[in-house]
Amino acid sequence: MDKIRFYIAPCGIGLGHANRSIRIANKIANLSEAYSVRPLILFSTYGSAVSLINKEGFPVCSVPEITYYQKPDGTFDFKQTMGRGIRFLKRFLDQIALEIKFIDRFNADVVISDSRLSSIIAAKVLGKPSILVINQLALIIPRTRPMSPSIKAIKTAAERIISQVFSYMWNFSNKIMVPDLPSKYAICKRNIVGLESDGDKIEFAGPIIEVDPRSLPSKEYLKLKLNISSSTPFIFTVISGVAFEKISLAKILIRFFKELGSKYFSIITLSNPKGRKLLYDRGNLKIYNWVENYYWYLKACDLNMNHAGHTSVIESICYGLPMILFPAKGHTERFSNALAAQSLGVARVLTYNNLSLASFRDAIEYLLTDIRVKRRVKLLQRMALEMDGAKRIAELAFKLAWRS
């Protein structure tokens, strides 16, 4: 049986990229029998992603960590990040050197990078075929304060120049695979569409989600198992981000849900696996640090609220859920995701620093009762579930490996 060596290099900031890459690796393993090959898989990453990949049973190489700085409210701190430019450049060059060493020693047949430029450059140097998995190619410099026309023009020009420089290097890959809906409906289209690429190099491959909703029991059964009334709309709120950001939003939402009384049943999770599990349980409102069986709650709910991260929005679409989205103004990628979802007619965007009870209540009523929202949600869900991003990327990886 032939061996094919897959080198997979996810970004180590957060766990979303690593989780996505693990699902691609599992799909490669699933397809290998049909292709009559034996896959050998080696990961490369940094930060908390290293331990996650180890727990999944895959070998992993560690490289120097590259991260970015945040302001106290959790938004990207462009000034402080750029102020560490020399340090970041050194670590980036160290990453490239190690990636060249690891790829060459492993004798990889194909390299799959999830948002890691260093592995794409290393593959190019070694003449190895590579696939880039990414949902943000464009750079959008965050700015929350009003700008004069001249400053705005400078900012736009700087974004365009930097984005095109990076786009040139991203194009070292053989294919750029976007884990999203087709381009017309893509949540991340503002961060992808419009950048120069070679021919048809960019492909919208389809969502990559951890748990397919079709593999779970029915909504009615899950509500019964979770002790949630089937006669009351269930709102599931996922608050992520830094502690300051989470606490600020949680306080606002708790006050609003208390004002709304028994009209809705609400569960809020603070996405914090540490500490006491259940923090508050009174009436129709429960607050958890962390919920087990996260996807049970997601399928059981009627409305999802989240911070508009790409994975969170895509998962809600796959689960057929309308959304209220709370992106921080300075978090440009999330704000772009939120506006895209709203333009598709399946979400309402509410910035948490300008929330009011009236806007909150109106958004809930609209999303739960408007027949057009229900139709659009079902349309997008059907479209999303017909695609399989992990399978498409795995198939392409086999194809490129055989060509090399």
Side-chain angles (χ1 to χ4, degrees):
M1 185 177 286
D2 292 337
K3 295 178 183 178
I4 297 182
R5 299 171 184 270
F6 300 87
Y7 187 87
I8 305 178
C11 172
I13 299 174
L15 296 177
H17 303 283
N19 273 315
R20 201 156 61 186
S21 296
I22 288 168
R23 292 194 277 279
I24 293 169
N26 288 331
K27 192 66 71 171
I28 288 170
N30 292 340
L31 290 174
S32 61
E33 186 175 346
Y35 290 144
S36 299
V37 298
R38 180 186 169 198
L40 299 177
I41 298 172
L42 176 64
F43 276 83
S44 163
T45 191
Y46 51 89
S48 55
V50 174
S51 58
L52 173 66
I53 293 166
N54 268 323
K55 285 179 183 177
E56 292 294 322
F58 292 104
V60 56
C61 300
S62 296
V63 296
E65 185 170 357
I66 293 179
T67 188
Y68 59 85
Y69 287 88
Q70 293 177 309
K71 296 177 182 178
D73 64 356
T75 58
F76 176 66
D77 191 328
F78 181 77
K79 184 176 181 180
Q80 190 175 2
T81 300
M82 290 300 101
R84 305 299 194 278
I86 295 177
R87 183 188 304 173
F88 286 170
L89 179 60
K90 182 182 183 305
R91 287 193 176 185
F92 178 64
L93 294 175
D94 289 342
Q95 267 199 17
I96 294 174
L98 280 172
E99 292 290 88
I100 291 173
K101 176 182 175 181
F102 294 150
I103 293 170
D104 188 49
R105 182 180 293 174
F106 183 57
N107 193 25
D109 294 299
V110 63
V111 173
I112 303 173
S113 165
D114 191 321
S115 311
R116 287 270 307 280
L117 183 57
S118 58
S119 52
I120 294 295
I121 293 174
K124 180 73 172 178
V125 170
L126 293 170
K128 303 285 186 178
S130 64
I131 299 169
L132 173 64
V133 182
I134 197 166
N135 56 271
Q136 185 177 9
L137 286 171
L139 171 72
I140 305 173
I141 301 170
R143 181 79 179 185
T144 55
R145 296 177 182 176
M147 292 179 288
S148 66
S150 58
I151 294 296
K152 188 173 182 178
I154 293 171
K155 175 180 177 293
T156 301
E159 288 172 343
R160 186 69 182 173
I161 292 168
I162 296 172
S163 293
Q164 291 301 333
V165 169
F166 273 89
S167 180
Y168 172 77
M169 290 187 285
W170 290 129
N171 271 291
F172 290 160
S173 59
N174 293 71
K175 193 80 173 178
I176 298 172
M177 305 295 277
V178 183
D180 207 325
L181 298 167
S183 59
K184 181 180 177 181
Y185 304 96
I187 296 303
C188 65
K189 59 186 174 183
R190 185 184 173 204
N191 297 320
I192 297 289
V193 175
L195 291 181
E196 294 179 5
S197 65
D198 301 333
D200 58 353
K201 183 169 284 189
I202 296 177
E203 178 181 332
F204 288 80
I208 301 176
I209 58 173
E210 186 171 351
V211 177
D212 190 313
R214 294 167 295 190
S215 70
L216 298 176
S218 68
K219 181 188 288 279
E220 293 71 26
Y221 174 84
L222 291 174
K223 281 189 174 183
L224 182 66
K225 294 291 287 184
L226 296 170
N227 295 315
I228 297 169
S229 171
S230 59
S231 60
T232 306
F234 169 33
I235 301 172
F236 182 44
T237 304
V238 183
I239 301 178
S240 58
V242 295
F244 172 86
E245 187 179 23
K246 289 194 286 190
I247 293 170
S248 175
L249 180 57
K251 286 180 178 178
I252 295 171
L253 295 184
I254 290 167
R255 188 173 76 250
F256 287 173
F257 278 121
K258 286 180 178 179
E259 289 282 347
L260 294 174
S262 60
K263 192 170 184 179
Y264 308 106
F265 183 86
S266 178
I267 289 179
I268 299 174
T269 174
L270 301 179
S271 306
N272 179 19
K274 298 179 181 178
R276 188 159 50 99
K277 183 179 176 183
L278 180 62
L279 300 177
Y280 183 93
D281 184 1
R282 191 172 300 171
N284 273 23
L285 175 62
K286 290 185 179 182
I287 303 170
Y288 291 90
N289 259 323
W290 185 263
V291 294
E292 302 293 338
N293 298 320
Y294 169 85
Y295 290 100
W296 283 28
Y297 287 92
L298 196 63
K299 185 164 183 178
C301 77
D302 302 292
L303 174 65
N304 180 234
M305 300 186 185
N306 63 71
H307 266 138
H310 184 259
T311 298
S312 297
V313 174
I314 287 294
E315 283 181 340
S316 291
I317 288 173
C318 289
Y319 276 71
L321 298 170
M323 294 163 273
I324 293 181
L325 302 172
F326 304 105
K329 275 190 174 181
H331 202 305
T332 52
E333 190 253 344
R334 287 183 182 175
F335 204 74
S336 176
N337 294 337
L339 292 177
Q342 182 170 264
S343 70
L344 291 173
V346 297
R348 278 287 178 89
V349 179
L350 300 176
T351 54
Y352 68 84
N353 50 339
N354 290 319
L355 270 176
S356 70
L357 177 60
S359 64
F360 185 68
R361 181 177 54 233
D362 290 347
I364 294 174
E365 286 293 317
Y366 167 70
L367 292 169
L368 287 178
T369 61
D370 192 282
I371 190 66
R372 294 167 298 178
V373 172
K374 295 179 187 291
R375 288 172 181 165
R376 290 165 186 154
V377 164
K378 287 182 179 179
L379 171 67
L380 292 179
Q381 181 188 30
R382 185 166 60 250
M383 185 185 303
L385 294 179
E386 286 174 353
M387 305 176 81
D388 187 338
K391 182 180 180 182
R392 176 71 189 107
I393 293 165
E395 289 173 339
L396 177 62
F398 277 106
K399 187 176 180 180
L400 289 175
W402 282 320
R403 283 182 184 174
S404 63

